[in-house]
């Protein structure tokens, strides 16, 4: 799953925009771990014991907070500073993070020559989802990391360190270097792959960055610098949210105070901070149109279940999957009905659904996207914007007046079109749509849908000369709903026997 989708899911599921740094700093390790070894000792055995204690500490923090944060951010420097044992500690720490929580490796990487190896190690060996980079090596450095389309980079554009002002505020207050960074780095990659890191307790810099990057994800840092020592409250939270949130009330990740690492009950601190931030977001967003955030019901699915389990439950909860007898276009009666048209009224679900289609489309070769009207037009439009591909659609009925076009949108004969539809029952709508497109001199190879009703429909698509791709099979939905207790055994068996 891409960093972008993973982050959105984690925000929705944990209802949190908080990111927790996993920094095993021996100097602030809680006494209960520190007592197990001698901080002053220089012996090898003590060093190993210390690293073991750091691991116990990091693991405790992860286990205590994994349902309360949207990302973890290990600072690479703390691990490399401990040599080989530190890198082992990093590997173990990363492995302890649940796979659905994105990991932002705080490397502030700044060396061009080692960047290809660094990207490979970070993304392929360590499996992190994003990495922080220093901007001053320019696009060449970023490009090595942007070779991975599912990963993201965070360009560090502002530091809270007071002496950094000598550089970042240069040459003038009106045109400081850091705003040049913000402006220039955005051409390196789209919003899913390039985010910004802004370290400042003062919302001014954050607001200026937001105004130049209205659609970028921003990781705020150092917002605790002016706050009270308790670490539970950010003094100027409202100002920071006003400065950093995007027009939709999102696009911002806030750091948890590092005090959370040193107290006995980190979960309590992170939970109360999360709730405070969420309340403040609601209060901040009261003037702009807001949608209710989806609050997950208590769900019995273990995380090793279906990778889209939470999305399936959300679709069920917003009424996209109902168990009622429905007459199909083919004349058959089915015991369920899937109404994916409803997703457009819930931006979070809509966005997640588009993300799942996008993962399939990214693997395909095509020139344009076509949505089958009417149900799939919003999804196809979302995909066209998300993936930056032109959109067309075959009309359901051709008008007897005006341009009388069979296909809306611009295209060139001979181009390859990927067809996007919502659900394959008999396959008739998707096949007819594809054939209409082909009748205008275009080529169709792939048909991508959200749900495959199974019962041989994919064979029918193949027989018509197309390759079907589906995000979910109806049997996977059935299994997930049953396991979570959303449907009865009777309903489960009815669907199983279709
Ligand atoms: O549960 C359902 C069943 C059907 N639809 C609509 O029908 C077509 C798919 O049917 P085919 O037989 O494959 O042509 C689909 O595009 C939907 O518009 C539905 O929404 N929900």
């Amino acid at each position: 799953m891409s960093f972008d989708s993973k982050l959105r899911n984690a925000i929705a599921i944990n209802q949190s925009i908080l990111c927790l740094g996993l920094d095993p700093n021996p100097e602030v390790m809680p006494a209960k771990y520190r007592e197990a070894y001698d901080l002053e000792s220089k012996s090898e055995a003590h060093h190993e014991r210390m690293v073991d204690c750091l691991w116990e500490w990091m693991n405790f923090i992860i286990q205590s907070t994994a349902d309360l944060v949207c990302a973890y951010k290990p600072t690479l420097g703390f691990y490399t500073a401990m040599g080989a044992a530190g890198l082992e500690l990093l590997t173990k720490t990363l492995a302890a993070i649940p796979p659905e929580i994105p990991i932002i490796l705080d490397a502030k990487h700044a060396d061009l020559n080692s960047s290809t190896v660094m990207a490979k190690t970070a993304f392929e060996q360590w499996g992190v989802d994003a990495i922080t980079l220093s901007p001053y090596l320019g696009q060449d450095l970023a490009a090595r990391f942007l070779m991975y389309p599912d990963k993201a980079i965070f360009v560090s554009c502002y530091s809270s360190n007071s002496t950094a002002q000598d550089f970042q505020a240069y040459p003038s207050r009106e045109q400081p270097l850091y705003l040049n960074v913000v402006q220039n780095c955005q051409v390196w990659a789209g919003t899913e792959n390039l985010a910004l890191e802004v370290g400042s307790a003062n919302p001014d810099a954050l607001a200026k960055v937001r105004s130049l990057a209205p659609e970028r994800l921003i990781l705020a840092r150092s917002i605790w610098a002016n706050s009270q020592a308790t670490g539970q409250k950010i003094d100027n939270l409202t100002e920071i949210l006003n400065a950093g949130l995007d027009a939709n009330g999102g696009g911002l990740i806030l750091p948890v105070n590092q005090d959370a690492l040193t107290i006995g009950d980190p979960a309590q601190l992170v939970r109360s901070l999360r709730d405070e931030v969420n309340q403040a977001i609601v209060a901040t967003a009261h003037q702009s149109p807001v949608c209710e955030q989806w609050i997950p019901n208590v769900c019995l699915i273990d995380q090793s279940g279906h990778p889209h389990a939470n999305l399936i439950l959300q679709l069920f909860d917003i009424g996209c999957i109902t168990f009622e007898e429905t007459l199909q276009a083919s004349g058959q009666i089915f015991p369920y009905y899937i109404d994916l048209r409803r997703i457009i009224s819930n931006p979070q679900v809509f966005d997640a659904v588009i993300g799942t289609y996008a993962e399939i489309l990214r693997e395909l070769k095509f020139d344009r996207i076509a949505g089958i009207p009417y149900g799939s037009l919003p999804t196809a439009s979302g995909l066209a914007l998300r993936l930056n591909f032109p959109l067309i659609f075959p009309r359901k009925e051709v008008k007897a007046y005006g341009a009388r076009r069979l296909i809306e949108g611009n295209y060139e004969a001979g181009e390859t079109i990927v067809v996007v539809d919502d659900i394959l029952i008999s396959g008739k709508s998707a096949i007819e749509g594809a054939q209409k497109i082909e009748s205008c001199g275009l080529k169709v190879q792939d048909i991508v849908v959200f749900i495959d009703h199974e019962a041989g429909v994919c064979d029918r698509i193949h027989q018509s000369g197309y390759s079907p791709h589906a995000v979910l099979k109806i049997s996977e939905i059935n299994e997930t709903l049953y396991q979570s207790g959303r449907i009865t055994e009777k309903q489960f068996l009815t669907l199983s026997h279709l």
Side-chain angles (χ1 to χ4, degrees):
M1 190 184 281
S2 70
F3 166 73
D4 183 64
S5 306
K6 220 175 177 182
L7 181 71
R8 286 168 195 270
N9 284 350
I11 290 173
I13 291 162
N14 287 349
Q15 293 286 289
S16 174
I17 62 162
L18 298 181
C19 168
L20 182 56
L22 291 175
D23 298 344
N25 182 353
E27 288 168 16
V28 296
M29 182 165 19
K32 78 169 181 179
Y33 299 102
R34 216 173 334 125
E35 275 156 12
Y37 73 98
D38 176 4
L39 192 60
E40 300 304 319
S41 170
K42 306 248 179 310
S43 82
E44 185 65 20
H46 275 92
H47 184 67
E48 277 172 24
R49 184 72 197 118
M50 178 187 81
V51 176
D52 286 348
C53 293
L54 291 170
W55 154 243
E56 279 172 36
W57 179 29
M58 289 299 107
N59 190 35
F60 168 70
I61 297 292
I62 295 166
Q63 304 311 322
S64 310
T65 57
D67 59 341
L68 298 168
V69 298
C70 70
Y72 284 112
K73 187 184 68 61
T75 303
L76 185 59
F78 278 111
Y79 297 88
T80 52
M82 285 182 271
L87 287 176
E88 266 175 46
L89 172 64
L90 176 66
T91 312
K92 275 169 86 175
T93 304
L94 296 176
I97 297 174
E100 63 277 9
I101 306 293
I103 303 171
I104 304 166
L105 183 67
D106 198 357
K108 304 276 191 308
H109 190 79
D111 179 53
L112 189 59
N113 293 335
S114 60
S115 57
T116 303
V117 183
M118 185 66 197
K120 197 171 163 58
T121 306
F123 292 152
E124 295 182 33
Q125 186 184 326
W126 292 335
V128 305
D129 303 284
I131 189 165
T132 61
L133 300 181
S134 164
Y136 297 117
L137 277 270
Q139 185 169 11
D140 285 350
L141 179 90
R144 309 297 204 277
F145 296 87
L146 292 168
M147 304 273 290
Y148 294 80
D150 281 348
K151 309 288 182 179
I153 60 170
F154 281 76
V155 177
S156 175
C157 44
Y158 192 84
S159 163
S160 61
N161 199 17
S162 59
T163 54
Q165 284 301 333
D166 295 347
F167 308 112
Q168 60 197 18
Y170 179 84
S172 68
R173 276 179 68 85
E174 294 69 37
Q175 282 191 310
L177 177 62
Y178 82 92
L179 291 184
N180 248 312
V181 169
V182 172
Q183 214 151 18
N184 286 317
C185 74
Q186 289 187 74
V187 299
W188 300 347
T191 50
E192 289 181 23
N193 301 103
L194 189 148
L196 305 170
E197 189 198 55
V198 180
S200 175
N202 173 349
D204 287 358
L206 192 56
K208 284 184 180 144
V209 172
R210 173 54 79 207
S211 72
L212 285 182
E215 288 168 356
R216 295 280 158 176
L217 173 66
I218 296 180
L219 169 62
R221 301 283 310 277
S222 313
I223 57 172
W224 293 95
N226 299 337
S227 299
Q228 301 304 314
T230 60
Q232 307 233 7
K233 287 207 178 303
I234 308 167
D235 278 356
N236 51 355
L237 178 59
T238 306
E239 288 86 341
I240 284 173
L241 290 174
N242 276 326
L245 288 170
D246 65 20
N248 298 319
L252 183 67
I253 306 180
L254 295 185
V256 175
N257 189 334
Q258 286 289 288
D259 286 358
L261 299 184
T262 59
I263 60 170
D265 186 1
Q268 189 268 327
L269 186 149
V270 180
R271 185 174 293 107
S272 74
L273 178 62
R274 177 194 68 167
D275 295 346
E276 189 202 341
V277 167
N278 287 349
Q279 278 169 19
I281 292 175
V282 173
T284 318
H286 70 279
Q287 281 166 339
S288 43
V290 283
C291 298
E292 257 177 53
Q293 284 197 306
W294 177 74
I295 311 288
N297 289 350
V298 176
C299 133
L300 304 176
I301 287 193
D302 71 289
Q303 293 300 331
S304 59
H306 195 283
H308 294 313
N310 282 302
L311 181 55
I312 294 171
L313 299 187
Q314 290 180 63
L315 289 166
F316 184 82
D317 292 347
I318 65 168
C320 291
I321 305 169
T322 53
F323 284 83
E324 54 197 44
E325 291 202 333
T326 313
L327 178 66
Q328 296 293 318
S330 61
Q332 285 175 283
I333 305 246
F334 279 2
Y336 73 94
Y337 189 70
I338 311 272
D339 188 356
L340 285 173
R341 297 166 202 87
R342 289 173 187 252
I343 57 171
I344 56 174
S345 306
N346 185 317
Q348 267 179 261
V349 176
F350 190 21
D351 189 74
V353 167
I354 285 173
T356 61
Y357 274 97
E359 287 194 10
I360 297 178
L361 263 70
R362 280 199 190 96
E363 303 297 315
L364 305 176
K365 285 213 160 19
F366 55 89
D367 301 304
R368 281 162 212 269
I369 298 172
I372 302 296
Y374 299 101
S376 303
L377 285 184
T379 315
S381 310
L383 281 165
L385 293 171
R386 172 88 60 104
L387 300 175
N388 199 20
F389 271 86
L391 177 71
I392 58 171
F393 69 89
R395 290 190 63 85
K396 222 175 164 70
E397 59 292 302
V398 177
K399 288 188 293 186
Y401 50 89
R404 288 195 278 179
R405 289 164 66 97
L406 186 60
I407 308 278
E408 297 292 1
N410 291 337
Y411 56 87
E412 300 279 342
E415 284 180 332
T416 301
I417 308 299
V418 62
V419 167
V420 169
D421 205 357
D422 49 2
I423 176 166
L424 290 175
I425 302 286
S426 67
K428 191 166 170 281
S429 326
I431 293 170
E432 280 180 3
Q435 288 170 343
K436 254 187 220 175
I437 292 166
E438 287 179 320
S439 74
C440 294
L442 294 159
K443 287 186 241 159
V444 176
Q445 170 62 45
D446 299 291
I447 295 179
V448 184
V449 298
F450 191 68
I451 297 172
D452 164 14
H453 168 69
E454 300 175 287
V457 63
C458 282
D459 294 340
R460 243 165 281 138
I461 301 282
H462 274 301
Q463 281 154 17
S464 303
Y466 309 112
S467 304
H469 309 264
V471 175
L472 292 168
K473 291 188 172 58
I474 196 74
S475 54
E476 295 171 317
I477 296 178
N478 195 24
E479 186 72 37
T480 303
L481 292 177
Y482 181 56
Q483 274 183 29
S484 69
R486 292 289 203 284
I487 59 172
T488 62
E489 188 174 0
K490 192 169 162 226
Q491 288 170 320
F492 171 70
L493 291 174
T494 314
L495 262 188
S496 309
H497 291 116
L498 278 178

